[in-house]
């Protein structure tokens, strides 16, 4: 998609063996700490998602740090979302049929795009799914969230790695106070989409994801927050046969249908 002097690549995934002319659309932002990951590394995840959810999945290959620091990633994601919501490209869908979704740093970007959409007033996001999102700006031992210390050394994603990613992502230390960098710092949580947040039990980002859900709820939004038992950060990239992934899909399927989990 053209965007100023650059373009934002996207990849479309369609459900197999389905005669669906206008399926719902998931606009997906991949994880990787804003530094690693791309549409290629998430091909299997997005292909499974399209099949299981019977949806078109649009995966966004936003620019990565450190070559492209904040706010390049959220601006890329916002541009794709605006093009989809306002112009119906690359796939026509009504706003209520579009769901923003992302995992980890991608969950951060989904939340940020929803805030940007409200603040800029160019389109309205109706619903979002945030998988173990990064929402805060401090993952040092001074963090106010116990999960940063409790789960920060022995469970795949370490607190130090999150700190390293954020150092690479920021353009300056002042970025840390920007809610488009850390959406939990927003002054206004009103008028946000219907939201599903899935956190992982043994994830340093667990508590800040749940805190973001609590802030959305306090502001009067429709929010469901679920902690996946025994989950590690990044579990959604595992094959669908794993129980944590299956449980997540049950929540996601029912969220998309407007109800409680099966």
């Amino acid at each position: 998609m053209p965007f100023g002097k650059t373009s934002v690549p996207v990849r479309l995934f369609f459900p197999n063996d389905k005669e669906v002319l206008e399926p719902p659309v998931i606009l997906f932002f991949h994880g990787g700490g804003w530094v690693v990951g791309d549409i290629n590394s998430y091909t299997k995840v997005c292909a499974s998602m399209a099949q299981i959810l019977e949806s078109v999945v649009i995966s966004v290959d936003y620019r990565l740090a450190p070559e492209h620091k904040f706010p390049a990633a959220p601006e890329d994601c916002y541009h794709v979302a605006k093009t989809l919501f306002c112009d119906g490209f690359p796939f026509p869908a009504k706003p209520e049929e579009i769901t923003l979704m992302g995992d980890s740093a991608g969950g951060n970007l989904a939340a940020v795009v929803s805030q940007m959409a409200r603040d800029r007033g160019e389109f309205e996001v109706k619903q979002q799914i945030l998988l173990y999102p990064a929402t805060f700006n401090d993952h040092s031992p001074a963090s106010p969230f116990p999960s940063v210390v409790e789960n920060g050394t022995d469970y795949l994603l370490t607190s130090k790695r999150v700190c390293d990613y954020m150092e690479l992502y920021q353009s300056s230390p002042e970025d840390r106070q920007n809610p488009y960098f850390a959406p939990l710092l927003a002054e206004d949580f009103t008028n946000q989409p219907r939201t599903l947040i899935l956190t992982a039990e043994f994830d340093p980002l667990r508590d800040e994801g749940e805190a973001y859900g609590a802030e959305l709820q306090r502001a009067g939004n429709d929010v469901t927050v679920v902690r996946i038992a025994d989950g590690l950060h990044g579990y959604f990239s595992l094959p669908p046969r794993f129980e944590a992934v299956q449980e997540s899909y049950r929540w996601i399927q029912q969220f998309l249908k407007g109800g409680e989990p099966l």
Side-chain angles (χ1 to χ4, degrees):
M1 294 183 178
F3 178 32
K5 296 182 180 180
T6 185
S7 61
V8 184
V10 300
R11 180 171 293 166
L12 274 64
F13 298 83
F14 292 87
N16 297 329
D17 304 321
K18 296 292 181 182
E19 294 293 333
V20 182
L21 295 178
E22 294 185 0
V25 175
I26 294 173
L27 183 59
F28 184 78
F29 308 127
H30 68 78
W34 311 277
V35 176
V36 298
D38 56 23
I39 52 178
N40 292 322
S41 62
Y42 272 76
T43 290
K44 290 184 179 179
V45 174
C46 291
S48 295
M49 198 186 313
Q51 179 71 4
I52 294 170
L53 300 179
E54 299 182 8
S55 300
V56 172
V57 176
I58 302 175
S59 182
V60 180
D61 204 24
Y62 56 86
R63 289 173 292 171
L64 299 176
E67 293 80 7
H68 304 283
K69 295 179 179 292
F70 176 85
E75 290 293 349
D76 283 1
C77 294
Y78 181 85
H79 168 71
V80 175
K82 179 183 174 182
T83 304
L84 176 62
F85 276 86
C86 298
D87 301 332
F89 182 83
F91 195 86
K94 299 175 182 178
E96 60 268 22
E97 297 173 333
I98 302 170
T99 302
L100 300 191
M101 182 174 178
D103 70 318
S104 191
N108 167 285
L109 293 170
V112 166
V113 169
S114 293
Q115 289 187 7
M116 295 169 79
R118 179 205 56 203
D119 296 344
R120 298 179 180 182
E122 295 180 301
F123 60 92
E124 182 180 0
V125 180
K126 298 295 186 179
Q127 53 189 23
Q128 62 181 356
I129 299 171
L130 314 179
L131 306 179
Y132 35 84
T135 67
F136 198 54
N137 63 356
D138 183 2
H139 299 85
S140 72
S143 168
F145 298 113
S147 64
V148 170
V149 175
E150 294 171 0
N151 302 327
T153 56
D154 299 323
Y155 300 103
L156 192 62
L157 178 68
T158 66
S159 300
K160 182 181 183 305
R161 183 177 296 177
V162 181
C163 291
D164 291 343
Y165 282 152
M166 286 195 162
E167 286 286 342
L168 293 171
Y169 181 45
Q170 69 182 36
S171 296
S172 68
E174 289 73 25
D175 291 338
R176 297 288 184 117
Q177 305 307 315
N178 191 325
Y180 295 163
F181 186 97
L184 190 55
L185 300 181
E187 295 182 359
D188 183 5
F189 292 91
T190 62
N191 299 316
Q192 286 300 277
R194 179 170 169 263
T195 301
L196 172 64
I197 298 177
L198 301 182
T199 64
E201 181 178 5
F202 299 111
D203 181 359
L205 303 185
R206 181 194 68 204
D207 293 348
E208 65 193 75
E210 294 173 2
Y212 191 68
E215 290 291 349
L216 292 177
Q217 288 175 326
R218 275 192 284 271
N221 301 288
D222 182 355
V223 184
T224 300
V225 180
V226 180
R227 181 184 296 183
I228 301 299
D230 299 324
L232 300 179
H233 188 86
Y235 73 81
F236 196 71
S237 293
L238 295 171
R241 67 177 181 274
F242 283 84
E243 175 55 33
V245 181
Q246 292 181 15
E247 181 182 356
S248 296
Y249 272 119
R250 289 194 291 269
W251 281 101
I252 293 169
Q253 285 172 321
Q254 288 307 106
F255 173 80
L256 294 175
K257 294 176 182 177
E260 291 299 316
L262 295 170

